[in-house]
Amino acid sequence: QKAEDKLKSQLGEEHLPKQGFPSEEEYEQKQGCPSEQDQEDLPISPSAEMSLTTHVSSMDDYNSTYRRSIEDPGEFWREISEEFHWETGPKGKFVEHNFDPNVGDVFVRWMPGATTNITYNLLEKNIREKCLGSSTALQWQGDDDVETREVTYDHLKTLVCRAANMLKAKGIRRGDRVMIYMPQTIEQVVAMLACARVGAVHCVVYGGATAEYLADRVKDSKCTAIITADFAGKDGGRQPVKTEVDRALKLCGREHFVRFCVVVRRVGVGDQDTWPKATGSQESSVPWCDGRDYWWQEEMERVDDECEPEWMDAEDPLLILYTSGSTGSPKGVIHTVGGYMMYAATTFKYVFDCGNVTNKVHFCTADLGWVTGQSYVVYGPLLNGVTTVLLEGDPLKANRIVSMVRRYSVTSLYTTPTAIRHMKATSGSEANYKLDTLRVVGTVGEPIATSTWRWYRSTIGGDHCSVVDTYWQTETGGHVMTPLPGATPMKPGSATLPFFGVEPAVLTDDGTEMVGPCEGHLVFKSPWPGMMRGINGKPEKFTSYFQQFPGYYYTGDRCRRDGDGYYRILGRREDRVSIPGAMGQVFNQLDVEATLLQHPDVEDVAVVTTDPTDDTGECHSGGYDNWYIFVTLRQTACLHAQTIFTNLREMLATSLHVFTPPSHIHCASELPRTWSDKVLRRLLRKVVLNDLDLGDFHVVANLKSLPKLFRQCRDMQ
Ligand code: ATP
Ligand code: MG
């Protein structure tokens, strides 16, 4: 009765729960014992053995270094900059910024006037100073899991220099933009590094994306050349890639002119020495435009092994990369040579703990068309001189992640909550992988449910690994919130604490900074070296990150800070769903999703509301009567969907005591996802509203799933 009265007074009579109200006894029990949420908030210490070897071995260590990085960021990063090669030193201030558009143009500059080349730092410096020439830099595995290639740092240098000379011979100069659209291969990395060597700006687009997706980016980036491949290995066969480039260029029309395409001959490529000599126009299955298209392998033979690096200003652009497009049209984020280099390398060093133990092998499952691939497949690992594992094709098929960890004795693994949930769903409850080489296991991209986190740590991480739940964005260039292995006590589902030099704050809707435990908008108060310097062609879009809360960089994400100062990311502000609980508390979409994921037959779930949003894009009335669950069931469970839905409603009533049941539970064979594996909640809202105006739908990786979802939802309503 007590709970009921409390609710009535808070919400009004008409909002009485439609089912599952807790009894007084249950209510008292709930007050007395720690809830599951409370228990999850008890930190899990890193293993003592880990702390012996990590760079940062205790919280005291972390706290003192963190304090130093905030009190004097210029000095902190100046010391770190000494770990890199600079051809000439900075001129003027080490760091300058303005985050307040009311004061003047928003800008950030780190080490202006200093010159360097990122490839010199990851090739010459590693080879000469750390004697890593004969160590493996890249370990590649093809889509068929049979083809493999290994490239040492020495060999990588030769390949990069040749490719750089090839680009130069074709007229590419510093500042030119080059699009890279191809499967994940050694050549894809070489192409990126060759651009960086000559000072060209690379723009990698996911090699499986459609021609329309590519065309938009060709036009937006104003690239003058494209590096691509004939085919990609896919499901044991081949998938045309060059065909899509030709289609994309047709779509661009006269509006955009690409001077040349270099085509990597992918099919039949094993070891470099056995590359078949192909002549373009005779290759009937690959569309060809004489005078514009060239074979990579042929051009590589025409050039020298040596190429001096182009010395670039620290603030020159290194790359353009498009965001995932979860909330709208993707933005072409610009990162610079100096700041991005320092930040990708430093976050990698601390977060994947690669300093003090030899034979480091890092496996990140991300595609290079996503910032995670740029920073933590390529630049972070290579700048640190470790071996990075590259995988062509879908990491989710046939338990590949686990078998690759074994095959290459991987020491740090980095993947997404979707991949972890998939491994969990397909592994059986008795799975015990004994992946003894692993020390750090990481997750990125979306909030991770606590049950998924626990499974990851115990089954993949063997209970001894540190789990790093890393929060960051394309715009941040590298991790901004993350535990440090061996130092930070972990909490499942929490990105824990800020990385060095990152100063978070949590704001109310009207921009007031909150202190202590709270929930609100996540912003950053000061710049870090890896943050973006602009949005390609859209200066006003760049300014918009600082407009809602002048003086702060606004992430667009909401977060909760607890009594230990730990941060839990609650998702984007547009995706917010507020669901009242029977005891006066308010749940969000993640609380509900985490609860439902505990059902053994639920593989994936997303909660959305269609309540109107205000002009900040945020939903304020939030889900009181109007919230929907989309659930993907394990295949074997689909026949019992209605029974499972009843179970799910019961779980919500009895475990969470949600006040209003969902308006509907929809069964989805798969949820719409971006190419980087994120649930597209904006499209799920469209599905509920039967609104076919989908906005930029080329970002949807599994577009084919949408018509069925629309049809199902229409039939149900
Ligand atoms: P767009 O900006 O085009 O809408 P996007 O934000 O999905 O797309 P990304 O830069 O790839 O593009 O993703 C960054 C977002 O991913 C973050 O803003 C956050 O919402 C989410 N994210 C990343 N890592 C985590 C994490 N560890 N926990 C929770 N959310 C995360
Ligand atoms: Mg974003």
Side-chain angles (χ1 to χ4, degrees), residues 228-245:
T228 184
D230 51 357
F231 296 96
K234 181 131 196 273
D235 302 332
R238 52 165 84 172
Q239 173 177 303
V241 176
K242 174 64 168 41
T243 317
E244 292 299 292
V245 173

Side-chain angles (χ1 to χ4, degrees), residues 323-327 331 370 445 447 469-470 473-474 557 572 678:
T323 58
S324 297
S326 309
T327 51
K331 299 141 273 187
W370 182 26
D469 178 354
T470 59
Q473 308 178 299
T474 312
D557 288 315
R572 298 147 211 291
K678 293 164 197 279

Side-chain angles (χ1 to χ4, degrees), residues 514-527:
M514 290 183 267
V515 286
C518 55
E519 189 177 313
H521 302 281
L522 176 60
V523 296
F524 297 113
K525 295 162 81 162
S526 51

Side-chain angles (χ1 to χ4, degrees), residues 123-124 127-128 151-162 197 305-307:
L123 295 170
E124 278 90 342
I127 294 168
R128 290 181 195 158
V151 170
T152 64
Y153 275 89
D154 275 339
H155 190 185
L156 182 61
K157 177 167 174 280
T158 309
L159 292 174
V160 171
C161 286
R162 277 182 175 271
R197 188 84 174 174
D305 277 5
E306 293 295 334
C307 175

